[in-house]
Amino acid sequence: MPMSDDPLEFVPVSKEEARKAFVGEKKPAPGTKNGTGDRHDQAAAGVSDQARAWLESLPFSVRPLALADKYPHIANRLAQLWKQPRQCDVYFESLLVDERGGRQGFAQSVALELVTLKTHYQTVVYPLNRSVWDGNRF
């Protein structure tokens, strides 16, 4: 796409609108309401407060915004398991490895976010060089 010399236009937004955009929360489309069965409406309403706080606590480079948007239940579960290394590792594996066969899998953007997040988790948050002497941490 050719670059233009036209200046960028900025639209003023409230601090709350900027926060929602930053963590991937969307407003329902005009004329719709959450709970109508539309997948996007459910996704927008489905990220828990715990998951929002967890997303905001992550470095931006590993923040899984597409995941939270398309699969809020997965973001909610990761937020719950984040401080439980063994359970979180198992959950990451269940998301990334098809053990049931024939599953469609995630869109490339979501799969990449999951791999990036898992790598961050296992190298920075709870490095994989854990031992049995780490006690209940895993």
Side-chain angles (χ1 to χ4, degrees):
M1 180 171 205
M3 296 293 287
S4 171
D5 290 334
D6 296 335
L8 294 175
E9 292 185 32
F10 292 92
V11 178
V13 295
S14 71
K15 195 174 187 181
E16 181 62 19
E17 288 173 320
R19 184 198 65 78
K20 287 179 180 179
F22 187 67
V23 297
E25 183 179 333
K26 293 184 180 178
K27 292 190 277 185
T32 65
K33 53 185 170 181
N34 288 333
T36 61
D38 180 71
R39 190 174 189 138
H40 279 313
D41 285 347
Q42 291 174 1
V47 178
S48 69
D49 290 339
Q50 179 186 21
R52 281 191 188 92
W54 168 71
L55 286 166
E56 291 173 356
S57 75
L58 294 170
F60 189 76
S61 61
V62 300
R63 196 173 294 167
L65 299 178
L67 173 81
D69 181 46
K70 294 179 182 177
Y71 303 97
H73 64 284
I74 294 174
N76 293 342
R77 187 71 179 138
L78 283 168
Q80 291 172 341
L81 296 175
W82 196 249
K83 294 184 180 180
Q84 302 171 42
R86 185 190 314 168
Q87 291 88 347
C88 198
D89 286 340
V90 168
Y91 191 58
F92 272 124
E93 287 303 310
S94 74
L95 293 170
L96 295 169
V97 177
D98 180 10
E99 294 178 354
R100 296 189 295 186
R103 296 175 79 184
Q104 180 180 359
F106 295 108
Q108 184 177 2
S109 61
V110 173
L112 182 59
E113 284 183 346
L114 280 168
V115 169
T116 301
L117 185 62
K118 178 184 177 189
T119 300
H120 171 75
Y121 187 77
Q122 293 179 339
T123 59
V124 176
V125 180
Y126 288 103
L128 270 179
N129 59 351
R130 303 178 213 135
S131 74
V132 294
W133 305 112
D134 290 336
N136 292 332
R137 288 188 39 189
F138 79 84

